[in-house]
Amino acid sequence: MDSDRILPGAGPLAVSVDAQLRERVPGYVLGLIAVPDVVVADAPQVADRLAAAEDALHAAGLSKADVSALPSIAAWRDAYREVGVNPNRFPCAAESVLRRVAKGDRLPRINALVDLCNAVSLESRLPVASCDVGDIQDELTVRFAHGTEVHLPLGAPEAPEHPEPGEVVYADARDRAHSRRWNWRQGDVVKTGLGRHRLLLTVESVHEGGRAEVERALGQLAQALTGLGAAPRPPQVLDGAVSRVELFAGLPATSPAAPVA
């Protein structure tokens, strides 16, 4: 990807949590880090961190049931049931990666940003994701789906889907859903590939005391990003007291891209 091209979506992006979702799952915490302009590559230090997180989980010897019983994961399973999703069929993102590694596997290596998020997810036991928001304008809201939204599946954008009515999704102002079943699956529009991107990193929790763990994971992400040469904006947290924040405000339309390598 041309590192000198003008990034789309250069204006502010408001991120919010809908009040109806907050009422159903009052303990939901959403941590955010905006990275205005970064060139994503590969990074040996991130690969080493992910391998160390996998090794630690292998050594812990957790069973599938043990993973499901972890406090942060058990709370997600309860939250999924609360919004009508079977967590056995559709586990949250953190449970998916933890289960895969706990049984002795290793995660696919994608690139520095995706691998960093997977490493921090394994370490924190929280859903952590990197989202390319260069094509998202104005608003991104975590809310219940109407069923009319369009979701382009990861790796299969030519086969659009519609989320079920009442399903929790990350939806934008163009009525596109960029996730399915909350954080079970990410959509193709927001996938983080190699090259130049405007990124939003997310960390989520629903368990008691989760805000402190979200803040800790955000701090680890920010430190790692800085070490990789990126320039993340200060972390923001949405919880019961704050339901909406504006990100990427006060930035020029273009800026030098920071390489992550």
Side-chain angles (χ1 to χ4, degrees), residues 12 16 21 32 44 56 61-62 75 77 93 108 113 123 141 149 153 159 177 183 189 195 203 212 222 240 250 254 261:
S16 62
L21 176 58
L32 306 164
L62 300 181
R77 293 175 67 83
L113 263 298
E123 294 164 357
T141 305
E149 298 86 353
N183 55 52
V189 173
V203 183
T254 59

Short mmCIF file of all heavy atoms in Angstrom, two decimals, residues 12 16 21 32 44 56 61-62 75 77 93 108 113 123 141 149 153 159 177 183 189 195 203 212 222 240 250 254 261:
data_model
loop_
_atom_site.label_atom_id
_atom_site.label_comp_id
_atom_site.label_asym_id
_atom_site.label_seq_id
_atom_site.Cartn_x
_atom_site.Cartn_y
_atom_site.Cartn_z
N PRO A 12 -13.26 13.66 12.52
CA PRO A 12 -13.54 13.03 13.82
C PRO A 12 -14.47 11.84 13.69
O PRO A 12 -15.28 11.75 12.76
CB PRO A 12 -14.20 14.15 14.62
CG PRO A 12 -13.79 15.42 13.93
CD PRO A 12 -13.67 15.07 12.48
N SER A 16 -19.84 5.40 20.48
CA SER A 16 -20.80 5.41 21.58
C SER A 16 -21.33 4.02 21.88
O SER A 16 -21.22 3.10 21.06
CB SER A 16 -21.97 6.35 21.25
OG SER A 16 -22.66 5.91 20.10
N LEU A 21 -28.48 -1.06 25.28
CA LEU A 21 -27.49 -2.09 25.59
C LEU A 21 -26.94 -1.89 26.99
O LEU A 21 -26.76 -2.85 27.75
CB LEU A 21 -26.36 -2.07 24.56
CG LEU A 21 -25.21 -3.05 24.81
CD1 LEU A 21 -25.70 -4.48 24.89
CD2 LEU A 21 -24.13 -2.89 23.75
N LEU A 32 -10.83 2.37 24.34
CA LEU A 32 -10.53 2.77 22.96
C LEU A 32 -9.16 3.45 22.87
O LEU A 32 -8.81 4.26 23.73
CB LEU A 32 -11.59 3.75 22.45
CG LEU A 32 -13.05 3.31 22.54
CD1 LEU A 32 -13.96 4.51 22.38
CD2 LEU A 32 -13.35 2.26 21.50
N PRO A 44 9.34 -8.30 14.99
CA PRO A 44 9.81 -9.45 15.75
C PRO A 44 9.45 -9.39 17.23
O PRO A 44 9.13 -10.43 17.84
CB PRO A 44 11.33 -9.41 15.55
CG PRO A 44 11.53 -8.66 14.28
CD PRO A 44 10.42 -7.65 14.24
N ALA A 56 2.83 -19.30 28.06
CA ALA A 56 2.31 -19.20 29.43
C ALA A 56 0.97 -19.90 29.56
O ALA A 56 0.69 -20.57 30.57
CB ALA A 56 2.18 -17.73 29.83
N GLY A 61 -2.09 -25.18 31.57
CA GLY A 61 -2.84 -26.43 31.47
C GLY A 61 -4.34 -26.29 31.66
O GLY A 61 -4.98 -27.18 32.24
N LEU A 62 -4.92 -25.20 31.17
CA LEU A 62 -6.35 -24.98 31.34
C LEU A 62 -7.16 -25.85 30.37
O LEU A 62 -6.82 -25.97 29.19
CB LEU A 62 -6.70 -23.51 31.08
CG LEU A 62 -6.05 -22.47 31.99
CD1 LEU A 62 -6.52 -21.07 31.59
CD2 LEU A 62 -6.37 -22.73 33.44
N ALA A 75 -18.27 -13.96 32.74
CA ALA A 75 -19.13 -12.79 32.67
C ALA A 75 -19.57 -12.52 31.23
O ALA A 75 -20.71 -12.11 30.98
CB ALA A 75 -18.41 -11.57 33.25
N ARG A 77 -19.97 -14.82 28.97
CA ARG A 77 -20.97 -15.85 28.66
C ARG A 77 -22.34 -15.44 29.20
O ARG A 77 -23.36 -15.61 28.52
CB ARG A 77 -20.52 -17.19 29.22
CG ARG A 77 -19.26 -17.74 28.54
CD ARG A 77 -18.75 -19.02 29.20
NE ARG A 77 -19.68 -20.12 29.01
CZ ARG A 77 -19.74 -20.89 27.92
NH1 ARG A 77 -18.91 -20.66 26.91
NH2 ARG A 77 -20.59 -21.88 27.84
N ALA A 93 -14.78 -13.12 21.58
CA ALA A 93 -13.48 -13.17 20.92
C ALA A 93 -12.38 -13.67 21.85
O ALA A 93 -11.51 -14.44 21.44
CB ALA A 93 -13.13 -11.79 20.38
N PRO A 108 -2.63 -17.98 14.33
CA PRO A 108 -2.01 -17.55 13.08
C PRO A 108 -1.31 -16.20 13.26
O PRO A 108 -1.80 -15.34 13.98
CB PRO A 108 -3.19 -17.41 12.11
CG PRO A 108 -4.30 -18.17 12.73
CD PRO A 108 -4.09 -18.11 14.21
N LEU A 113 -0.01 -5.44 14.31
CA LEU A 113 -1.14 -4.93 15.08
C LEU A 113 -2.08 -6.04 15.51
O LEU A 113 -2.50 -6.09 16.67
CB LEU A 113 -1.89 -3.88 14.26
CG LEU A 113 -1.54 -2.43 14.55
CD1 LEU A 113 -1.86 -2.04 15.97
CD2 LEU A 113 -0.07 -2.15 14.25
N GLU A 123 -3.08 -12.31 27.45
CA GLU A 123 -2.55 -11.87 28.75
C GLU A 123 -3.64 -11.37 29.68
O GLU A 123 -3.63 -11.64 30.88
CB GLU A 123 -1.52 -10.76 28.53
CG GLU A 123 -0.25 -11.21 27.80
CD GLU A 123 0.56 -10.04 27.26
OE1 GLU A 123 0.12 -8.88 27.40
OE2 GLU A 123 1.63 -10.30 26.68
N THR A 141 -21.37 2.97 16.64
CA THR A 141 -22.15 2.74 17.85
C THR A 141 -22.27 1.25 18.14
O THR A 141 -22.57 0.47 17.22
CB THR A 141 -23.56 3.33 17.70
OG1 THR A 141 -23.46 4.72 17.37
CG2 THR A 141 -24.35 3.19 18.99
N GLU A 149 -29.13 -3.86 8.74
CA GLU A 149 -27.73 -3.51 8.54
C GLU A 149 -27.06 -4.51 7.59
O GLU A 149 -27.45 -5.68 7.51
CB GLU A 149 -26.97 -3.49 9.86
CG GLU A 149 -27.48 -2.48 10.86
CD GLU A 149 -28.62 -2.99 11.72
OE1 GLU A 149 -29.12 -4.12 11.45
OE2 GLU A 149 -29.02 -2.28 12.65
N PRO A 153 -18.74 -10.24 5.68
CA PRO A 153 -17.95 -11.17 6.48
C PRO A 153 -16.46 -11.07 6.21
O PRO A 153 -16.03 -10.79 5.07
CB PRO A 153 -18.49 -12.55 6.07
CG PRO A 153 -19.84 -12.27 5.51
CD PRO A 153 -19.73 -10.93 4.85
N ALA A 159 -20.12 -11.81 -0.04
CA ALA A 159 -21.29 -12.55 0.46
C ALA A 159 -21.89 -11.82 1.65
O ALA A 159 -21.77 -12.25 2.79
CB ALA A 159 -20.88 -13.98 0.85
N ALA A 177 -22.91 -3.02 9.63
CA ALA A 177 -22.53 -3.69 10.88
C ALA A 177 -21.13 -4.26 10.70
O ALA A 177 -20.89 -5.07 9.81
CB ALA A 177 -23.50 -4.81 11.21
N ASN A 183 -18.72 -9.19 19.75
CA ASN A 183 -17.32 -9.26 19.29
C ASN A 183 -16.93 -10.66 18.85
O ASN A 183 -15.75 -10.99 18.78
CB ASN A 183 -16.36 -8.75 20.39
CG ASN A 183 -16.54 -9.49 21.70
OD1 ASN A 183 -16.52 -10.72 21.75
ND2 ASN A 183 -16.73 -8.75 22.79
N VAL A 189 -14.66 -4.92 6.39
CA VAL A 189 -14.36 -3.50 6.19
C VAL A 189 -13.32 -3.00 7.18
O VAL A 189 -12.47 -2.17 6.84
CB VAL A 189 -15.65 -2.66 6.30
CG1 VAL A 189 -15.34 -1.16 6.28
CG2 VAL A 189 -16.62 -3.00 5.18
N GLY A 195 0.11 -2.25 5.50
CA GLY A 195 0.01 -0.96 4.84
C GLY A 195 -0.46 0.14 5.76
O GLY A 195 -0.42 0.02 6.99
N VAL A 203 -10.78 -2.58 23.65
CA VAL A 203 -10.66 -3.56 24.74
C VAL A 203 -12.00 -3.54 25.47
O VAL A 203 -12.49 -2.46 25.83
CB VAL A 203 -9.53 -3.21 25.72
CG1 VAL A 203 -9.41 -4.30 26.79
CG2 VAL A 203 -8.20 -3.03 24.98
N ALA A 212 -10.76 -1.52 35.60
CA ALA A 212 -9.34 -1.45 35.93
C ALA A 212 -8.52 -2.34 35.01
O ALA A 212 -7.41 -1.97 34.59
CB ALA A 212 -9.12 -1.85 37.39
N ALA A 222 -0.88 0.94 24.48
CA ALA A 222 -0.30 2.25 24.16
C ALA A 222 1.22 2.20 24.25
O ALA A 222 1.93 2.75 23.40
CB ALA A 222 -0.87 3.31 25.09
N GLY A 240 -20.53 3.18 32.46
CA GLY A 240 -21.83 3.67 32.87
C GLY A 240 -21.91 5.18 32.98
O GLY A 240 -22.99 5.76 32.88
N GLY A 250 -9.36 17.36 15.83
CA GLY A 250 -8.24 18.29 15.82
C GLY A 250 -7.04 17.82 15.06
O GLY A 250 -5.93 18.32 15.27
N THR A 254 -4.07 15.07 6.55
CA THR A 254 -3.00 14.10 6.32
C THR A 254 -1.89 14.34 7.32
O THR A 254 -1.72 15.45 7.84
CB THR A 254 -2.42 14.22 4.90
OG1 THR A 254 -1.91 15.54 4.71
CG2 THR A 254 -3.49 13.95 3.85
N ALA A 261 7.09 -1.58 12.71
CA ALA A 261 7.95 -2.64 12.19
C ALA A 261 9.05 -2.93 13.17
O ALA A 261 9.27 -2.18 14.09
CB ALA A 261 8.56 -2.21 10.86
#
